[in-house]
Amino acid sequence: MAQPLKILYVTSELAPLVSTGGLAEVAAALPRALRALGHDVRVAMPCYRQIDAKFRGEQYCMVVADMGGNPVHGAMRVASVPDADIPLYLIEHDGYFGREAPYGVGAAEFEDNAERFCFFCQALFHGIPQTGWAPDIIHCNDWPGAPMAIYLKTRYRDDPVWGRVPCLFTIHNLAHQGRYSVSHFPVTGCDPALQTPECLLFDGDMNFMKGAVVLADTLSTVSPRYAKEIQSHEYGCGLDSVLNTRSGDLYGVLNGVDYDVWNPSTDPYIAGQFSVEAPEGKANCKASLQRVFGLPVRDVPLFGAVSRLYWQKGFDFMLDAMDRLTAHDAQFVVLGSGDPALEGQLKGVARSHAGQVGVFLGYDAALSHKVVAGSDFFIMPSRYEPCGLAQMYALAYGTVPVVRRTGGLADTVVDATPANLRRNRATGLSFVPKTSAALARAVDRAVALYAEPETMRQLRHAGMSRDFSWGRSCEAYEALYRKTLGRVL
Ligand code: ADP
Ligand code: GLC
């Protein structure tokens, strides 16, 4: 292979240590896949209170960050990514990271998040050189990693260690931008010259996502379709024009699936293991899932969903369509947590449609495998979806996705139109309008398909045969890293 790369992967969550969404799964899988290709990848994350002591490694050195003329001290620990030969740098500061959650409690984020994640990034610039190692490239993710790009291109521009290190910034979710009142600016230690509408300012606020979009050498999103979408007014969350100016540097690389974890022929959580060649065990999974959710064990289409319950995910479309959905002789199970209003409404529907709708509120990894394995169809009516992982898991388990055609959902699910079925390309059902009626029509189509066992078999088979392994995405990242390096050589 070409020269291995030294990559610093900066993330604000990492499964199984701390996880609030898909980023944690990506941060666990991508560095492993890069390591398997021979690269020297190292991961960095804040040392949150939630991280189990057994994963925290040893304190390595003290670090200090300049938070607007005010030095703030912390420490850097060196641990390992669990079950991998990958160093993990953990930035420790009790005041910032010894809290009850990584980002905030309930809907409210901590009001000093700008300062917390700026400290995290600055501490890395101070701590990592003390190990004697320096990366060839920094890969930072989402707004908590954005200060890496911002400091790199200003404060560390002429630094002997960091001066020639380029940076790739990946957007996993453009809606979370790290937007704060300019009154926070002084404590971030950011160069005051950045406080302009061309750089960190957006509508009078400071905006970390925008800063990284302007300053990083290259940008990526987690699916090709989302890379295009976010350059439009509809999906751009206000940053579409600045993203347009970086169009030539913006790439889309689809996330992958960790098939060691999501494999129906080895999955320890499910009631009957199965595969594309021996699909019989799926029936046991369905019966077991019906029992777990208190539904009668019957041969009717079973629709499952596993999701964070927020506006992005479109569960209000499902709730609004509930009368029409439950008019079918079909069952629905939802595993999710999030917005208390959505949680309450889902519970209400489960009560009013007992025996037909089952809802489990909470985060439960084992149960998520059971839902993915036991359902016939998997619903994701997202308003937007940068990539989405669960629909790819569903495909691997012969569970036919019913998705809104956006972002990664559009890139991974092929609608069962007559033409796609004829060409044996179809893997699911998709719809475009952001309405409950469009979702209901897709569910009508799914129920009709369920009555055609041969078409269902074909769809399941096509889905299970798709390969979304990390190997392919990892090669795309490698190419992107080399392109990014080309910018500074
Ligand atoms: P996002 O990061 O926007 O939430 P993704 O689809 O990328 O969406 O990743 C979400 C991951 O979290 C998926 O693996 C999904 O199965 C899992 N997940 C979401 N909610 C739950 C839950 N309540 N219990 C278990 N797993 C969940
Ligand atoms: C974000 C997105 C999701 C994506 C995940 C991992 O949470 O909402 O679509 O799969 O990041 O990249």
Side-chain angles (χ1 to χ4, degrees), residues 19-23 25-26 172-173 255 262 306-309 312-313 335-337 360-368 372 378 380 385-391 393:
S19 176
T20 73
L23 170 60
E25 288 172 50
V26 173
H172 295 258
N173 193 335
N255 285 333
W262 291 97
V306 179
S307 186
R308 292 186 294 118
L309 299 172
Q312 170 191 352
K313 301 293 179 179
L335 163 62
S337 61
F360 185 92
L361 297 178
Y363 191 96
D364 186 330
L367 187 54
S368 75
V372 167
F378 195 85
M380 290 180 74
E385 196 60 76
C387 179
L389 299 169
Q391 82 282 6
Y393 304 154

Side-chain angles (χ1 to χ4, degrees), residues 197-220:
E198 286 70 43
C199 195
L200 266 181
L201 292 192
F202 176 77
D203 268 358
D205 287 333
M206 60 187 293
N207 183 318
F208 285 96
M209 179 78 89
K210 182 179 172 208
V213 166
V214 172
L215 292 169
D217 295 280
T218 47
L219 307 169
S220 73

Side-chain angles (χ1 to χ4, degrees), residues 138 140 145-157 165-169 185 190-191 193-196 198-201 207-219 242-243 245-246 249 484 487-488:
I138 297 174
C140 50
M148 289 305 291
I150 296 166
Y151 294 130
L152 184 70
K153 297 296 173 183
T154 50
R155 178 187 292 226
Y156 293 94
R157 195 176 39 209
V165 178
C167 171
L168 164 65
F169 177 63
F185 200 92
C190 288
D191 184 338
L194 300 179
Q195 214 176 334
T196 66
E198 286 70 43
C199 195
L200 266 181
L201 292 192
N207 183 318
F208 285 96
M209 179 78 89
K210 182 179 172 208
V213 166
V214 172
L215 292 169
D217 295 280
T218 47
L219 307 169
V242 58
L243 283 158
T245 66
R246 301 284 333 253
D249 302 316
T484 310
R487 300 293 161 93
V488 292

Side-chain angles (χ1 to χ4, degrees), residues 269-272 282-294 297 370 374:
Y269 297 118
I270 63 179
K282 189 166 169 81
N284 294 341
C285 296
K286 179 170 176 178
S288 154
L289 181 62
Q290 288 168 318
R291 278 189 215 100
V292 168
F293 276 86
V297 177
K370 295 186 194 355

Side-chain angles (χ1 to χ4, degrees), residues 337-379:
S337 61
D339 180 347
L342 286 173
E343 289 190 353
Q345 289 172 50
L346 279 165
K347 264 292 172 214
V349 170
R351 267 195 305 274
S352 58
H353 294 82
Q356 191 176 14
V357 179
V359 172
F360 185 92
L361 297 178
Y363 191 96
D364 186 330
L367 187 54
S368 75
H369 284 245
K370 295 186 194 355
V371 175
V372 167
S375 305
D376 296 300
F377 297 97
F378 195 85
I379 300 193

Side-chain angles (χ1 to χ4, degrees), residues 171 174 213 230-231 239-247 250:
I171 299 167
L174 188 63
V213 166
I230 58 175
Q231 297 180 60
L239 295 186
D240 37 304
S241 26
V242 58
L243 283 158
N244 268 300
T245 66
R246 301 284 333 253
S247 195
L250 171 58

